[in-house]
Amino acid sequence: MDDVNGKTKEIGRRRSDSRTQPQPKRVGGAKKKSQCNGTIEIKIGGEDSNGGNPDWKLAPIRDTTAGKILERLEILEKRHLEYVHSHQARLKARLGESEEAEHEFKEESNQIKSDIYHLASHQKTGDDAIKP
């Protein structure tokens, strides 16, 4: 597809010129060509170009007494720590499951290795099967 006056039109798969040209109608803007591979760097227009948090906006002023601010901070801290502690409990439970699975795997693996060793040693002596 190609952009002509805000409308798109079909074009063939092959292009006569493989180099891309900056098109001011696209979102963002084209910058200078990169020195390493000749491509054009595209910058999406962002409101905060200083690398700050673009989600932070000035909020309306609430009750700013020291007691209210401290109360809101304590509520925030309590909610966050409840989340973190419940997440840690889930991680510990999963760790326990993982350690149990590892233990079962090692036991079964060692048993199979032992069976193979006994089978190989009995075949050298002429026995066809391991007798319990």
Side-chain angles (χ1 to χ4, degrees), residues 43-54:
K43 178 181 178 188
I44 303 298
E47 293 178 16
D48 187 5
S49 61
N50 295 328
N53 185 354

Side-chain angles (χ1 to χ4, degrees), residues 68-83:
K68 281 294 185 180
I69 294 172
L70 184 59
E71 180 183 341
R72 289 195 311 263
L73 178 59
E74 287 173 350
I75 291 169
L76 176 68
E77 183 180 57
K78 180 182 175 200
R79 279 193 319 224
H80 180 70
L81 290 177
E82 284 174 356
Y83 166 77

Side-chain angles (χ1 to χ4, degrees), residues 19-118:
R19 297 179 189 257
T20 58
Q21 299 296 324
Q23 295 182 3
K25 293 180 178 130
R26 292 187 179 179
V27 176
K31 291 181 98 178
K32 65 180 180 179
K33 287 188 178 184
S34 170
Q35 296 296 326
C36 62
N37 61 6
T39 60
I40 296 175
E41 182 181 337
I42 302 295
K43 178 181 178 188
I44 303 298
E47 293 178 16
D48 187 5
S49 61
N50 295 328
N53 185 354
D55 295 332
W56 185 85
K57 304 251 187 297
L58 193 57
I61 296 176
R62 300 186 280 183
D63 185 0
T64 56
T65 61
K68 281 294 185 180
I69 294 172
L70 184 59
E71 180 183 341
R72 289 195 311 263
L73 178 59
E74 287 173 350
I75 291 169
L76 176 68
E77 183 180 57
K78 180 182 175 200
R79 279 193 319 224
H80 180 70
L81 290 177
E82 284 174 356
Y83 166 77
V84 169
H85 292 155
S86 66
H87 186 62
Q88 288 172 348
R90 289 189 300 272
L91 289 171
K92 286 177 185 175
R94 295 290 302 185
L95 177 61
E97 293 170 8
S98 175
E99 288 172 341
E100 179 63 29
E102 177 186 19
H103 176 72
E104 290 173 4
F105 170 78
K106 284 181 178 180
E107 279 185 355
E108 184 64 22
S109 177
N110 287 334
Q111 182 62 50
I112 292 171
K113 287 177 187 177
S114 178
D115 292 345
I116 292 171
Y117 173 76
H118 287 298

Side-chain angles (χ1 to χ4, degrees), residues 120-129:
S121 65
H122 282 285
Q123 284 182 347
K124 287 181 183 177
T125 62
D127 293 341
D128 287 358

